[in-house]
Each structure stands twice: as structure tokens, then as C-alpha cells.
Amino acid sequence: MRKIIALFRIRREERWPAVLIVTLLAILNALVIYKYADQFTLFYKNYRALYIKVFHISGYDPLTYEVVSQWTTGYQVYRHPLLAFLMYPVYGLNQGLIALTGINCVQFVVAVLLLCCTLYAFIFLFRIGRELIGLPSVDAWLLTFLTFSFAYVLVASIVPDHFIISMFVLIFTLYVSGRQLIANRLMTRWQTVGLFLLTAGISLTNGVKVFLAALFTNRRRFFRPSFLLPAVILPVIGLGLFARWEFDTFEKPKNERREAFKKRSEKRQRARLFTTYQMANKHKDSIQIAALVDSVMRVRAQEIDRKRRQEPNTTHKGQPIAQVEFLNWSDISTSRSATCIENLFGESLILHREHLLEDTLAGRPVIVRYRSALPYVVESLIVGLFLCGIWCGRRSRLMWMSLSFFGFDLLLHLLIGFGINEVYIMTPHWAFVLTIAMGFLFKTLQGRKRIVLRGVTACLTVSLLIYNVTLIVQYLLQ
């Protein structure tokens, strides 16, 4: 327990940079609170409908506000099997504040949670550069601040979704496994199981990265039955069974009530239509009227279904791999996957002025072009530094372990097409890999070359921070 507490103790050299990043993001979180406080501090019977209707920052979901306001398994249970339960203490804190203040303090407690996760993602990313790669403090801080200047790392730090929480646990996983790797120690079963349940419980795909980290750390020992069975197979089966229990216990009854309500509503609507047509057409018999009512109801149902499924901003119609709990959010259209590479290294890093922080399901085109060539130059420079870092770190297992995280995201989004229409909101899952790779470039260069690289990185960091923060503030104050 003492070792865990020591891990989260902020050291002397980390304090002032931590104060800077927390101050910046506290101001941005305060603006989010200011934007929505007049409605979100009130009490409602249906929080979900309110938050989804009112909250609009890019494609992020405000479901955490719902769960913390009135606890429910509001997330998709197969993608986030433990997230609602991890939020239960935050819900309890909000209930205590409600009793003290008489208002719904959901925005304040969620903002504190986001700030804590952002802070420790920031701290552990610095430690990866400082301790595991072996960079001087100035270089490690430069790369850490560069990561937190990326557009959708900043945005994820202020929205009530799970992405910045995921970023924290993934960086923490890299740090813990990297320390084992550098010290030539194995990841233990308990470390692997604990990290898997935490990461996969927040977002299921994160759990794969824990197993990748264990594979790079333990190598052939990973496949030994004494490790594979208790640390991989049993936790996967256990989490799957828990997700099924969670669905049957919480979601299935809600779905059944929703379906029963829909049937009752349709029955009442059918009866009203029948009465209306019967009064207007007294000379027609009941069979003809019933057939007419059925026809009208079918047309209305088809229209509602079409409106629910259509994407108003694009003519592309995605094709899921399968209509099951997890894969129905996929899209195997290779043309869209190829096109959205621009969003992977574009919108993820630099915000667009047009359609600023809009949602692809509410009017934003899937692809938005920049007004000038300058953003493309900046993106190309970052990608170039990333590729150079990969080359410089090609003999490091830490480098390849980090790249395996990024490679899994490429597979998930660009090949399988998971969430491909808004791939940029997934940036916190992989953005830190870019700067970890750049760390190996810093480590390789010496003398004037390193000084030039520091200057370029500092200019990139300051420029991106000013540009992206300015646009975020502009959006929040409009």
C-alpha cells in the first residue's frame, strides 16, 4: 500500500509544472461549468434527456453527468462494464453536496475528477520520459506539455466522458510495465489482473493494451499456463460474465419497460387514429379503416426509424461488421477509413475554426478542411518527428510496447472502423505515444541538434496551446 501511495506522491520537480497545467485546465473546466450551470445545477426527473439535449462539445457524451446526478448504469455496459460502479463514490459525494447546498453539484465534482485524472496523466507521462527513457527534465517537460497542447487532449480534459480517465490509466499502465521492463522484472499476475480490470472496466478495448504490456514485459513467460490462465483467461471470462449480469440486472428491465411503453403508446395512437377515421368516414366499414390505420402506423414507424438512423451530414451509409453489442458501432467501409486518416492526425492535433467542436451527428461533416496550408505543415512536422523517434528507438522494447498500443488503435479505428466517423475524439487513447517516440529522438541527438529540436518543440507547444485554447474559450463563451 505504501508503494502505491508513493507512486502518486507529487515530487518537488513536478510541482510547478503541475500547478501550471491544473490552473489552465481549471479555468477551462470553469468555463464549461459557466456555460451550462443555469440548467445543470437544477433537479430533473429525466437527467439523461436533459444532458443529451443541452450538452454539445464535439461528439462527447455527457453520460457521466447523468450517472453522478442519479446513479444508473447509463453507459453502454459491454463497452464500459465497470465505469458506472467506479463512478458510484463520485455520485455519493455529489449527494452529500446536494444535501449541503441545495443544488445539483454534478459539474463541480466531475470537474474535480477530470482535473485529478489529467494531473496524474501529466505526471506519469513526464516520469516515462524522465525515468524510463532517461531524458533531462527540460526535454521530458517539453514533450509532456506538447502532448497536452493537442486539441482533443485538451478537449477531453474538460468534458464529462471517460476519455481523459482512459488516458490516465493507459499512461499509468505504460509507466508500471515500463518500470518492470527497465528493471528486468516480470509483471506479476496481480499487477496484470488489477490493471486489466481497471482499464477494461473503464473501456473494454483498453484491456487489450494491458495484455500487450504484459506480453512485452514477460515475453515467452506470458504464454505459460501458470500466468495465462489466472492473469488473462479468467479475468476476461469474469469481466464478460459480470457485463452479462449487469445487462440482465439493470439494462434488460429498462429495455423491457421502454418496449412496453412504446407498445402502449402505439396502441393508444392506433385507437385515436381509428376513432378519427371512423368519424370522418362513417360509410366505410371497420376492416377498411383498420387497414388504413395500419398503413399510416407503418409509414410513421419507418419515418421515425429512418430519422433515427440517418447521418444528416454525409451521404455515406456505414456497414457494421455485425449487429451485436460491441460491433454495431463499427464500419467496414474502407473508403471512409482512408478518408478519415486526415482526422486522425489533423483534427486530433489542431482544431478547425469551421464547425468548431460540432458533432458529426448534429451537422458537422465527417471531413473538415483547414483554411490554409499552415496546419498541414504543423501536422506533418509532428508526424515527421514521431517517425524519426520510432527510428531512433527501434531497439527499445519500451518503444515497441508503446507502439503496440498505437497499432491496436489503428487496427480498431482504421481497419475495423470502430467510431471512424469521429475518430479524433479517441485522441487521448494514443496521443501520448507520439511524444514518447519523440523522446527517443531527443535522447539520440546531442549538442546543437538537440538545442534546435528543443526550440522547434517549444514553438510547436506554445503555438498549439495558444491556438487550441483560444478556440476552446471562444466556443465556451459564445
Side-chain angles (χ1 to χ4, degrees), residues 261-277 293-294 296-301 304:
F261 177 79
K262 180 181 176 183
K263 288 180 179 179
R264 289 195 301 270
S265 298
E266 289 179 353
K267 186 176 180 181
R268 287 194 297 267
Q269 189 177 16
R270 191 184 299 271
R272 287 196 298 269
L273 283 171
F274 188 91
T275 303
T276 302
Y277 281 116
V293 169
D294 287 338
V296 171
M297 292 293 292
R298 280 197 302 272
V299 170
R300 287 190 177 185
I304 292 171

Side-chain angles (χ1 to χ4, degrees), residues 166-224:
S166 290
M167 184 177 181
F168 156 61
V169 296
L170 290 173
I171 291 174
F172 181 70
T173 297
L174 263 183
Y175 178 68
V176 170
S177 57
R179 291 212 321 174
Q180 301 295 94
L181 194 69
I182 298 301
N184 288 318
R185 295 194 299 261
L186 302 180
M187 279 189 70
T188 67
R189 300 179 187 88
W190 287 113
Q191 283 177 325
T192 306
V193 171
L195 288 171
F196 170 76
L197 293 178
L198 178 63
T199 56
I202 292 170
S203 185
L204 188 64
T205 52
N206 290 343
V208 176
K209 297 179 181 180
V210 173
F211 294 148
L212 288 171
L215 176 61
F216 274 91
T217 304
N218 296 7
R219 293 192 280 187
R220 285 178 294 180
R221 293 182 180 87
F222 177 87
F223 298 101
R224 290 181 178 177

Side-chain angles (χ1 to χ4, degrees), residues 47-287:
Y47 284 105
R48 188 185 189 91
L50 168 75
Y51 295 142
I52 290 176
K53 179 182 178 182
V54 175
F55 185 89
H56 295 292
I57 297 180
S58 195
Y60 291 105
D61 296 324
L63 300 181
T64 299
Y65 281 164
E66 177 203 5
V67 174
V68 175
S69 295
Q70 188 175 44
W71 191 86
T72 175
T73 53
Y75 307 101
Q76 214 286 345
V77 297
Y78 289 103
R79 291 204 295 268
H80 314 289
L82 299 179
L83 187 53
F85 297 92
L86 293 173
M87 288 295 168
Y88 195 85
V90 187
Y91 159 76
L93 174 61
N94 187 42
Q95 292 302 303
L97 291 174
I98 287 173
L100 289 173
T101 64
I103 63 171
N104 187 0
C105 298
V106 60
Q107 286 188 280
F108 300 95
V109 296
V110 170
V112 171
L113 173 66
L114 296 176
L115 284 173
C116 288
C117 290
T118 304
L119 170 63
Y120 280 104
F122 183 81
I123 293 295
F124 285 116
L125 184 57
F126 164 74
R127 291 179 186 175
I128 288 173
R130 186 77 177 94
E131 299 174 19
L132 305 187
I133 300 177
L135 297 175
S137 292
V138 63
D139 296 336
W141 282 128
L142 264 178
L143 292 172
T144 304
F145 274 103
L146 177 61
T147 307
F148 283 82
S149 71
F150 295 158
Y152 273 83
V153 173
L154 284 170
V155 176
S157 302
I158 62 174
V159 295
D161 211 327
H162 74 277
F163 288 96
I164 201 64
I165 307 174
S166 290
M167 184 177 181
F168 156 61
V169 296
L170 290 173
I171 291 174
F172 181 70
T173 297
L174 263 183
Y175 178 68
V176 170
S177 57
R179 291 212 321 174
Q180 301 295 94
L181 194 69
I182 298 301
N184 288 318
R185 295 194 299 261
L186 302 180
M187 279 189 70
T188 67
R189 300 179 187 88
W190 287 113
Q191 283 177 325
T192 306
V193 171
L195 288 171
F196 170 76
L197 293 178
L198 178 63
T199 56
I202 292 170
S203 185
L204 188 64
T205 52
N206 290 343
V208 176
K209 297 179 181 180
V210 173
F211 294 148
L212 288 171
L215 176 61
F216 274 91
T217 304
N218 296 7
R219 293 192 280 187
R220 285 178 294 180
R221 293 182 180 87
F222 177 87
F223 298 101
R224 290 181 178 177
S226 59
F227 181 87
L228 195 64
L229 181 63
V232 178
I233 296 174
L234 291 179
V236 168
I237 293 174
L239 191 61
L241 292 175
F242 180 86
R244 171 55 67 179
W245 169 84
E246 184 179 359
F247 179 82
D248 290 340
T249 304
F250 296 100
E251 294 300 311
K252 190 175 180 180
K254 287 193 291 187
N255 292 341
E256 289 174 350
R257 289 194 297 270
R258 193 179 299 116
E259 189 64 27
F261 177 79
K262 180 181 176 183
K263 288 180 179 179
R264 289 195 301 270
S265 298
E266 289 179 353
K267 186 176 180 181
R268 287 194 297 267
Q269 189 177 16
R270 191 184 299 271
R272 287 196 298 269
L273 283 171
F274 188 91
T275 303
T276 302
Y277 281 116
Q278 192 174 39
M279 292 177 63
N281 302 275
K282 293 182 179 180
H283 61 283
K284 291 186 178 181
D285 58 35
S286 297
I287 295 177

Side-chain angles (χ1 to χ4, degrees), residues 164-433:
I164 201 64
I165 307 174
S166 290
M167 184 177 181
F168 156 61
V169 296
L170 290 173
I171 291 174
F172 181 70
T173 297
L174 263 183
Y175 178 68
V176 170
S177 57
R179 291 212 321 174
Q180 301 295 94
L181 194 69
I182 298 301
N184 288 318
R185 295 194 299 261
L186 302 180
M187 279 189 70
T188 67
R189 300 179 187 88
W190 287 113
Q191 283 177 325
T192 306
V193 171
L195 288 171
F196 170 76
L197 293 178
L198 178 63
T199 56
I202 292 170
S203 185
L204 188 64
T205 52
N206 290 343
V208 176
K209 297 179 181 180
V210 173
F211 294 148
L212 288 171
L215 176 61
F216 274 91
T217 304
N218 296 7
R219 293 192 280 187
R220 285 178 294 180
R221 293 182 180 87
F222 177 87
F223 298 101
R224 290 181 178 177
S226 59
F227 181 87
L228 195 64
L229 181 63
V232 178
I233 296 174
L234 291 179
V236 168
I237 293 174
L239 191 61
L241 292 175
F242 180 86
R244 171 55 67 179
W245 169 84
E246 184 179 359
F247 179 82
D248 290 340
T249 304
F250 296 100
E251 294 300 311
K252 190 175 180 180
K254 287 193 291 187
N255 292 341
E256 289 174 350
R257 289 194 297 270
R258 193 179 299 116
E259 189 64 27
F261 177 79
K262 180 181 176 183
K263 288 180 179 179
R264 289 195 301 270
S265 298
E266 289 179 353
K267 186 176 180 181
R268 287 194 297 267
Q269 189 177 16
R270 191 184 299 271
R272 287 196 298 269
L273 283 171
F274 188 91
T275 303
T276 302
Y277 281 116
Q278 192 174 39
M279 292 177 63
N281 302 275
K282 293 182 179 180
H283 61 283
K284 291 186 178 181
D285 58 35
S286 297
I287 295 177
Q288 289 177 313
I289 295 173
L292 183 59
V293 169
D294 287 338
S295 176
V296 171
M297 292 293 292
R298 280 197 302 272
V299 170
R300 287 190 177 185
Q302 290 171 1
E303 180 67 16
I304 292 171
D305 187 64
R306 184 187 67 79
K307 288 181 178 179
R308 182 175 61 85
R309 292 175 180 273
Q310 72 180 355
E311 292 183 4
N313 52 346
T314 177
T315 57
H316 173 86
K317 294 188 182 297
Q319 182 184 355
I321 292 176
Q323 293 293 345
V324 296
E325 287 89 352
F326 188 80
L327 294 177
N328 59 8
W329 211 38
S330 63
D331 183 350
I332 58 175
S333 167
T334 55
S335 61
R336 171 175 280 198
S337 297
T339 306
C340 282
I341 290 175
E342 174 161 339
N343 282 344
L344 189 69
F345 287 114
E347 179 84 348
S348 299
L349 308 179
I350 306 173
L351 291 173
H352 288 283
R353 290 185 179 274
E354 293 82 5
H355 302 283
L356 177 61
L357 294 177
E358 291 182 0
D359 188 352
T360 56
L361 299 180
R364 181 198 187 275
V366 172
I367 297 297
V368 179
R369 307 291 180 185
Y370 292 104
R371 292 178 179 177
S372 69
L374 184 58
Y376 295 106
V377 173
V378 173
E379 293 159 9
S380 300
L381 179 57
I382 292 172
V383 173
L385 293 174
F386 170 54
L387 295 176
C388 290
I390 292 175
W391 176 256
C392 293
R394 64 190 182 279
R395 293 186 176 88
S396 168
R397 273 201 289 159
L398 175 64
M399 175 77 265
W400 289 107
M401 182 168 66
S402 303
L403 280 179
S404 71
F405 283 29
F406 183 52
F408 177 73
D409 284 314
L410 290 181
L411 171 69
L412 189 66
H413 299 308
L414 297 185
L415 185 61
I416 298 176
F418 182 80
I420 191 65
N421 64 323
E422 49 184 8
V423 67
Y424 45 87
I425 74 171
M426 316 289 179
T427 303
H429 288 164
W430 54 265
F432 52 89
V433 178

